[in-house]
Amino acid sequence: MTGTRAPLPAQTSTAAADATTPSARRPSPLHRVLEAVGVTNVSLLIALALVILVIGSQNADFFRGSNLIVIGTAVAISGLLAVVQTVVIIAGGLDISVGSVAGLASVASAMIFTATGSTAVLGLAGAVLIGLLCGLVNGAIIVYGRVNPVIATLATLAAFKGIAQLISNGRAQGYTGSDPIFIFLARGSILGIPTLIWVLLLVAGLLHVMLKYTDIGRKIYALGGNDAAARLAGININRYILAIFALAGMVAGIAGVLITARTGSGQPISGSEGLELEAITAAALGGTALKGGKGSIISTLLAVLLLGVLINGMTLLGVNPFWQNVAKGTLLVVAVVIQQLRSGERRVGIPQ
Amino acid sequence: MTTTSTPPTLVAEGIGKSFAGVHALTDVTLEIRPGEVLALMGENGAGKSTLLKILSGDQPPDTGTLRMHGEPVTFSSPADAMAAGVRVIYQEPEIVPHVSVAENVYIGRLPATARRFNRRALRERVRADLERTGFTGAIDPDTLGSRLSAAQRQLIEILRALTSDTAVLAFDEPTSSLSDAETESLFRLIRELRESGVAIVYVSHRMKEIFELADRIAVLRDGRLIGVRPAAETDEEELVRMMVGRDLSSMFQRRHTGAADQPVASTESRRPVLELRGVTSDDVSDVDLVVHAGEVVGLAGLVGAGRSELARAVVGDVPLRGGQVVVNGRPLRLRTPGDAVAAGIGFAPEERKADALLMHRTVRDNLSLAVLDRLSRLRFVRTRAERELVDRYVEQLRVRTPSPEQQIRKLSGGNQQKVVLARWLARRPDVLILDEPTRGVDVGAKAEIYAIIDELAASGVALLVISSELPEVLGLSDRIVVMQNGRIAGELDRDEATEERILALAIADHAAEGASR
């Protein structure tokens, strides 16, 4: 008790000192850089540098341009889910059905593509629309059924996966590998950067702008930080929750399209299973507070990159792929433990 | 003081307790004697609850000692107090929801053999207890804890006390959730307990009950013991005087600007802005109330009288079961607080941290929350406009913060409250509802908040201010509406209002009686 309380007066007194004599203590340049970039981002960059150094010193292939592209394309799909998961978590929710939605959208895009006589645009639009609908279902269960988001999306994780298996009989669907649009998505590039990475950067950029610069974003932070306050301030929080889960579904739909493009056919499960774990891990590692109200797209992107480099490195170094799952799980726990320790929560009972 | 024949069961000597520098109790000395009902009275915040918490071992006193049968005792937990025979029955006792009444009564001391407890024996025992105490039929021993009413929960707590060795039994406003018949049973029981030599402490606001039960009456005010009177030698008037008789000039700030100083013909000639017509929710019934432009209406009443609940209904936070909320002559369709905000109602809730502040965000984020849509163009927040607005209100309300980018949790309670007020001022509402606007606020900031309220009224805002501090209500309000039990108990004009009259309306058993007094 005294241990946690003691630092408080010290903090307030320095704050007061800052207030009265602003010019007395000028922060050092290093301090200012740290302030501007953020402690989380600096830690992530340091971790990234360390991991790159270790892997690079063991295997020089790591630094080859082709490998960097491999990392980029590998993280594009999980990165999409991670950035939208960040928005959901900031709003105080969690969506663990994103992987299943991506799988369903992947199957749907290929099936629509085939059914409409190889019209890629309809396949893409249909997949995104189905993702949106899945998200709306999640939102409606949560808001109107009063179901905790984890339970609601755990249920739909199973249900959406089941639907994807039902409509596909559990098999890969269609063949999109010869369609120019799908080929462009999977292997094309603009300015030497693969299309997949452009899609991720575009979505991440839009979400970043929304969170940082629009009133919608500010209200999302408010909603996640204190939903009672947000509601009493006049924000229609039900509508926001619905919209946020719909957004998550939509982005998962885009991820589903990318899965189809990369594999050349609609994959009910194999391309998407476990993506929710990667998405949540990246968001948590990026410092998004699982209680809501705090987080940033840029930090999540850095965490996505860190995860991608780690997994790529383990593959390069010949680590058994089963260990990679252990590593991902461990990383999620470590990320959350760090978060909780920093928040100074008392170690009593089941955490919120 | 005169009867030395019976030695007291429990003596509190020089008890003092403060929370965050505020004295909740100062040097309270009280004897609790066997075979006697000692009533404890006082306004909201007079220190009754704190005293009960100290007796029950829930909180340690800062100063002073407790003596049981002459021996000094230290209760470091409620379990300690219970072991010594001291029990407090609160209004909302803790009940285990998923086990039966019988198990709840004997929780912690279940009859067990080889760790298997005998369900039937337990049920029979509780049935016998109920019969003995005259509560047969009031409660079924097999009912689950989660299905019990407030009265039944209290009954469980009473049964717990009766089935263990209890020397001191304290009741905290036990009848507020009981029906008349239940109240009768409870009184009969209390009298029996008194006969059997238990020392009883009875906290209540209800004069009628006090005079029916009590042998002696102790009055607390501002954390001090004002006096102890034998019930036979005092009357209602003297008790009310003891409860409120503080130095009135000490606290409140008279209005010096705005409407109050101007010769206004009458409130009727002014434009009604907020009108409540028969507003009914789960907690309030049939409330009619009008607040005019530039008027401050104080909403007084005891804790639990339904004032906050009324505010919540008016802002659309809880559903209306009947009646209408009218703003500027237009009836509102209230589905969410957003509808109330859109209609020009601002609301600063009582629980600042839980219901108003984004504790991990900055002063700026907190201040601009309700006007983000107005600050935005094509949904992009115009940062310069926002910064100007925030700077303006930080200066106008004298929010003491090193910068608008300071995290709000690092500010003092008074400055946090000013930010909440600023959030609504920035919206320029027609109606502002403030629930306990100066709770947890230091004296200096209090005066500043009064001045802000004053200026708002002068600028034509209709204000409804809920406060449990009578001097504050008297100092701020043009008119005072008193609530009791979810209903309006009466209304007093500024000139006719006194603490005594407000309190009389708030605690009278029937509103009509209080008004005629």
Side-chain angles (χ1 to χ4, degrees), chain B residues 288-452:
Chain B
D288 290 315
L289 183 69
V290 180
V291 187
H292 300 86
E295 188 184 32
V296 180
V297 172
L299 199 52
L302 301 172
V303 169
R307 296 167 300 161
S308 300
E309 290 77 4
L310 177 65
R312 297 267 174 180
V314 172
V315 302
D317 192 36
V318 297
L320 287 187
R321 301 280 175 229
Q324 261 186 338
V325 176
V326 179
V327 173
N328 289 324
R330 207 162 44 86
L332 305 188
R333 186 151 174 253
L334 289 170
R335 289 152 306 184
T336 68
D339 295 328
V341 172
I345 302 179
F347 172 52
E350 178 181 10
E351 297 288 336
R352 209 163 40 231
K353 284 183 186 161
D355 294 336
L357 293 174
L358 311 170
M359 289 307 275
H360 292 281
R361 311 287 303 174
T362 62
V363 169
R364 175 175 56 85
D365 285 328
N366 275 283
L367 203 156
S368 62
L369 185 64
V371 286
L372 282 173
D373 39 359
R374 290 188 189 168
L375 286 172
S376 305
R377 186 178 295 150
L378 298 170
R379 309 235 67 145
F380 280 80
V381 180
R382 289 175 295 149
T383 37
R384 188 194 286 179
E386 184 188 22
R387 206 164 297 145
E388 281 169 7
L389 175 114
V390 171
D391 286 346
R392 189 164 74 241
Y393 282 103
V394 163
E395 197 188 306
Q396 190 186 327
L397 303 194
R398 289 189 218 103
V399 180
R400 276 171 206 74
T401 174
S403 125
E405 301 306 315
Q406 175 81 330
Q407 296 239 318
I408 194 134
R409 67 194 155 91
K410 294 191 178 161
L411 266 52
S412 71
N415 285 304
Q416 289 177 351
Q417 183 69 357
K418 285 191 222 163
V419 173
V420 175
L421 289 176
R423 173 189 295 172
W424 292 111
L425 297 203
R427 244 203 111 81
R428 308 195 162 278
D430 297 324
V431 178
L432 196 53
I433 302 176
L434 307 176
D435 194 352
E436 303 286 358
T438 64
R439 172 159 299 174
V441 165
D442 62 90
V443 178
K446 250 184 191 178
E448 288 177 336
I449 288 172
Y450 295 153
I452 295 165

Side-chain angles (χ1 to χ4, degrees), chain A residues 69 72-74 76-77 124 176-189 193-197 199 257-265:
Chain A
I69 300 271
T73 49
I77 290 169
L124 304 189
T176 60
S178 58
D179 181 272
I181 293 182
F182 277 104
I183 290 174
F184 171 70
L185 280 177
R187 292 190 292 277
S189 66
I193 296 175
T195 320
L196 285 170
I197 297 177
V199 174
V257 170
L258 297 187
I259 291 170
T260 304
R262 282 195 73 190
T263 57
S265 57

Side-chain angles (χ1 to χ4, degrees), chain B residues 4-6 35 56 100 103 110 119 147-148 168 214 218 261 300 327 364 423 454-455 463 469 484:
Chain B
T4 46
S5 51
T6 46
S56 71
S100 71
E103 285 162 77
L110 294 169
R119 205 176 285 270
R147 297 181 178 262
L148 300 178
V168 177
D261 278 358
V327 173
R364 175 175 56 85
R423 173 189 295 172
D454 209 17
E455 279 165 35
L463 285 122
E469 286 186 38
Q484 188 192 31

